[in-house]
Amino acid sequence: MATEAPEYSTGQIRRPTNLSRVPYLPGLDGLRAVAVVSVMVYHANSEWLAGGFLGVEVFFVISGYLITLLLISEKETTGRVSLGQFWLRRARRLLPAVFTMMLALAVYTSIFRSSELGNLRGDTIAGFFYVSNWFQIWVGAGYTAQGDFAPLRHLWSLAVEEQFYLIWPIVMLVLLRLGSRRVSSVAKWLLLASVVITVALGVLFHGGPHVSCEATPDAYWTVGERCISKTDTLYLSTVTRSGGLLLGAAFAMIWRPHAIMRGPLRTKGRLLDLVALVGLLVLAAQMWWVHLLEVDGADPWLFRGGFFIASTATLFLIAAITHRRSLTGKLLGHPVLLWIGTRSYGLYLYHWPIYQIIRKVAGNPMTFRQFSVATLITICITELSYRFIETPIRRGENPLRWSSLRRERDPVQRQMVLGGVSLSVVLAVFAVVSMVTAQVNLNETEQALAENEDSTTNLDELLNPDPAEVATLDTSPTTIPAVAVPDASTTTTTTTTTTTTTTLPLKPLNLLAVGDSVMQGAANTLEDRGFTVDAAESRQMIDYVGTMATLKEREIVGSFTLAVVINLGTNGPITHETLASLLEPLSEVKNVILFTLAVPRPWNEANNAVIRDFANNSGTNWARGNVIVLKWDEIRNSCPGTCFANDGFHLSNDGSKYYSQQIFDIIGI
């Protein structure tokens, strides 16, 4: 690459000025600390800080700002930009820790959770190549997915940044041909690009419930035969999340720390402190009130401008932090925040898998005690990684310092290091081989549901069959194998044509159980006692209102029915009107058993309030008083044995027996 010619004046060489050089700014590390702590709190329990995930947006803006400023500075200092050196620096900074984490996780999983090893393979490969965000979109394993052991799900944001690091320097290489001083004119186009991305997010956003492709098809795009979540795509994809990166890059083109201190803004430190205070208050308000998913679906405030507002608020803070006369930089440069910020990468990298190991599956909210233990472990591992892996490699040093060990007179230390390295290599090889050869298994909940699937009946399909399936003519020939005939020299093959007619023998039901995946886990035990069980994953109460009315209309349920059991409300909010419509056709049924809920979902308590309120007032609407509320949220903890899957609410074998027995005791069977 050509180097800019030096400028000459009166026989003296003028060194190129570098107004874009990047001084060390402790306040930026402090801002990183605020961001990573908010993310860690959110990941532990979203009810503690509903919008804590916006800390990732803060990281994106800081990255866009610093990377762009570094590239401009390199061009001003050397007259060129070395892509190879840039990527090498990024590799030294990022790769050692993430590869260490993934390898350690593979070892842990192969030893303690070997059944999950095959499921981890795809995430590991995606993490290795920094495409975790696209992989999660494709397989439907974003932050909205629950029930799996997903210790690498957080790598999506690192993938977005790494893809930016790969592409953006090439873009800047082209832009800097204009000259580093003229590149500031490009900032307005980057701002426009960020606005366009924000508008696109608002247009593509789906504001309704997000349950499953079958239950809420409008919340998904279909690519071939695969359903792609709109919320996951908009949240995880590099394109839709590049708005903050571009805003940070645009700001770097017009706000360079050294240049600011040479202009009229050099005396405006206190004014910028007020600007930073506004930014901090806006970020705090968003982190407190904005959600990723609400009861009624994805939060419109987030996808219709929320990311852009958070990015802009971050720029307000950066503007003050980079001004040498502001108080903001000094406050955020506090030693505690500085320590956290300099290790923010490791804290982000290690905290999520540690959380997953403790809580077993994604989606389980952590208790404060679990969070405290997990944070302590994360801090210890992060510090070891920072001191002995990240920092030495970033500086080009050998982490083992083998040359210094060789000079030690006592061979014990050398032997300990050799033993540790040998053990690590053996474990690493074992883990990699185990992962490569491992089978992909259903998770604990999926396996339990699959075992009970044959005991369920889809009444809606039987009530409303496809006309083409009601009577099906099978014209394929049936061949009877040749049979040797005594005293004959030939054999005979007989071909017949049969006609198969599918009938729908729906008779009046004495015992009916209707529910979602919680009930499906008990389908076998309920069927054994004579129940017809219509339970399915992702079912919502409103989906069954029409089916229940049809069952009454066709006299499949009525006064002859001993019991109808209902366990719905796990997958979405219910209303008094929906519950009333569901129960109205059951006024003549002898016993209607209505389960309360115990699921870690934001609508759980509200749904239970609707159920209890309806039961308390049922006397005015149901003369027979046939509605019985089974308070599952209160009695579930009395279940003996191992009653629930790792997610804490789906039923295991012991749980299905206990669950069913509560029903049997009420109706006396």
Side-chain angles (χ1 to χ4, degrees), residues 48 58 167 195 237 259 423 501:
W48 296 343
V58 175
I167 297 172
V195 171
S237 81
L423 178 61
T501 302

Side-chain angles (χ1 to χ4, degrees), residues 514-644:
V514 176
D516 47 42
S517 57
V518 174
M519 177 180 282
Q520 186 176 339
N524 287 343
T525 54
L526 290 172
E527 186 190 41
D528 289 343
R529 292 290 186 95
F531 272 91
T532 296
V533 183
D534 188 355
E537 290 184 75
S538 303
R539 175 177 284 161
Q540 298 199 65
M541 183 177 287
I542 196 170
D543 298 332
Y544 210 82
V545 170
T547 303
M548 194 67 80
T550 304
L551 290 172
K552 168 63 176 175
E553 179 184 343
R554 299 191 187 179
E555 298 183 349
I556 298 169
V557 296
S559 58
F560 46 82
T561 303
L562 174 60
V564 173
V565 182
I566 299 172
N567 190 173
L568 292 168
T570 297
N571 299 301
I574 63 177
T575 64
H576 290 82
E577 293 75 18
T578 299
L579 183 58
S581 299
L582 181 73
L583 295 179
E584 183 178 1
L586 305 177
S587 59
E588 297 179 359
V589 172
K590 294 181 177 64
N591 299 287
V592 177
I593 301 174
L594 194 58
F595 270 74
T596 60
L597 311 169
V599 294
R601 305 282 169 82
W603 49 77
N604 183 77
E605 292 304 319
N607 284 359
N608 280 343
V610 170
I611 292 170
R612 288 192 172 95
D613 183 61
F614 189 91
N616 291 337
N617 294 290
S618 63
T620 60
N621 298 315
W622 310 103
R624 289 174 177 262
N626 65 337
V627 177
I628 304 167
V629 173
L630 197 160
K631 299 178 181 179
W632 181 245
D633 58 327
E634 296 181 9
I635 66 174
R636 66 190 295 275
N637 292 329
S638 299
C639 176
T642 303
C643 296
F644 304 101

